[in-house]
């Protein structure tokens, strides 16, 4: 039952650390927990591909991951929560990079830089695949909402951290509006990509999605002034 989780331990990435600091070394417990979580999300995605939305249960995911039903609920509250977490790896990497950007850098420039740093199209594949599946089945609408809400919460937290160190303290309206706008632009980029590419998850398609996400942040930063940033409105 534990073999799949054990194999996943080697694939867990070491968390990013702050500039100039020694890289943090995760404990065996942290590695095991991360590996179990990854095994669950991998199993959920595999069942989603093979059986389709709504055609598998928590028990099915637990069996495929090599864990017990009880262990599943130590990590996720439902199949929808497990599916939503498919994209968390990409989002977590982006947020980690975002936190390492200079504190004085405008938030939207930092968001662009984080997306540029994720150069491998495969990094964005889980986000793209879940979005593609949500467009094909109304049963997937809730996992999509969960994934975007998770992203909004993470962006909000980083924006609040940044603003806390600036003169005037925290402006709640600004932080909420900024986080919401970033997520809305992200959704817009995904929708444009899907309208062009459909379910195509080839490296070229994923690279185009990444560029659309970068361009959407640039448009937001330019106040949607297409004269200041005309390239974001070009069709491919």
């Amino acid at each position: 039952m534990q073999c799949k989780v054990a194999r996943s331990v080697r694939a867990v990435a070491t968390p990013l650390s702050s500039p100039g600091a020694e890289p943090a070394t995760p404990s065996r417990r942290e590695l095991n927990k991360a590996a179990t979580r990854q095994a669950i999300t991998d199993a959920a995605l595999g069942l989603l591909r093979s059986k389709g939305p709504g055609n598998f249960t928590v028990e099915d995911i637990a069996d495929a991951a090599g864990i017990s039903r009880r262990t599943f609920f130590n990590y996720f509250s439902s199949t929808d929560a497990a599916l939503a977490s498919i994209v968390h790896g990409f989002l977590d990497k982006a947020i980690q990079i975002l936190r390492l950007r200079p504190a004085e850098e405008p938030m939207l420039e930092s968001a662009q830089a984080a997306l540029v740093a994720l150069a491998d199209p495969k990094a964005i594949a889980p986000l793209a695949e879940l979005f593609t599946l949500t467009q094909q089945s109304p049963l997937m609408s809730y996992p999509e909402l969960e994934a975007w809400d998770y992203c909004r919460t993470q962006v909000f937290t980083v924006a609040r951290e940044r603003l806390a160190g600036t003169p005037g303290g925290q402006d709640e309206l600004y932080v909420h509006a900024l986080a919401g706008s970033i997520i809305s632009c992200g959704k817009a980029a995904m929708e444009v990509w899907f309208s062009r590419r459909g379910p195509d998850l080839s490296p070229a398609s994923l690279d185009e999605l990444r560029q659309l996400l970068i361009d959407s942040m640039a448009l937001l930063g330019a106040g949607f002034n297409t004269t200041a940033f005309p390239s974001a409105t070009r069709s491919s």
Side-chain angles (χ1 to χ4, degrees):
M1 292 287 283
Q2 301 301 323
C3 58
K4 295 185 181 180
V5 173
R7 285 197 299 267
S8 298
V9 171
R10 295 189 294 271
V12 177
T14 301
L16 293 173
S17 57
S18 58
E22 288 294 321
T25 302
S27 67
R28 171 59 61 177
R29 175 182 171 81
E30 290 170 333
L31 287 171
N32 285 338
K33 288 180 68 174
T36 300
R37 188 179 184 90
Q38 187 63 52
I40 294 171
T41 57
D42 287 347
L45 182 57
L47 287 166
L48 184 62
R49 291 187 189 118
S50 63
K51 294 190 174 185
N55 294 322
F56 55 93
T57 65
V58 165
E59 288 76 9
D60 293 331
I61 297 175
D63 287 344
I67 60 169
S68 68
R69 185 176 186 273
R70 180 177 179 178
T71 299
F72 175 94
F73 284 114
N74 286 338
Y75 291 84
F76 300 106
S77 60
S78 64
T79 57
D80 281 347
L83 290 171
S85 73
I86 290 169
V87 303
H88 289 189
F90 169 79
L91 297 176
D92 286 344
K93 288 176 184 176
I95 292 299
Q96 284 180 320
I97 296 170
L98 196 58
R99 281 199 164 99
L100 292 178
R101 300 298 301 174
E104 67 277 6
E105 185 176 61
M107 184 67 178
L108 293 174
E109 288 184 23
S110 294
Q112 275 188 286
L115 290 167
V116 169
L118 294 169
D120 185 356
K122 291 181 181 178
I124 209 168
L127 181 70
E129 184 166 14
L130 184 63
F131 186 84
T132 297
L133 291 166
T134 63
Q135 310 311 301
Q136 297 172 340
S137 172
L139 292 174
M140 290 294 295
S141 59
Y142 185 72
E144 181 193 17
L145 289 174
E146 283 238 339
W148 284 116
D149 188 59
Y150 174 84
C151 187
R152 185 199 62 77
T153 300
Q154 297 298 307
V155 171
F156 176 85
T157 299
V158 175
R160 175 179 263 179
E161 289 170 357
R162 287 281 188 91
L163 205 58
T166 61
Q170 298 182 17
D171 184 325
E172 291 296 302
L173 177 60
Y174 175 84
V175 177
H176 278 280
L178 178 63
S181 297
I182 288 174
I183 298 309
S184 293
C185 284
K187 287 182 177 180
M190 298 290 293
E191 289 165 0
V192 169
W193 167 77
F194 186 76
S195 71
R196 294 177 181 177
R197 294 285 193 163
D200 178 10
L201 296 175
S202 66
S205 177
L206 295 175
D207 190 58
E208 181 177 351
L209 172 56
R210 175 174 159 273
Q211 188 59 51
L212 284 168
L213 288 166
I214 292 169
D215 288 351
S216 71
M217 294 303 106
L219 270 176
L220 181 57
F224 296 98
N225 181 348
T226 56
T227 302
F229 188 66
S231 62
T233 60
R234 291 199 304 253
S235 60
S236 61

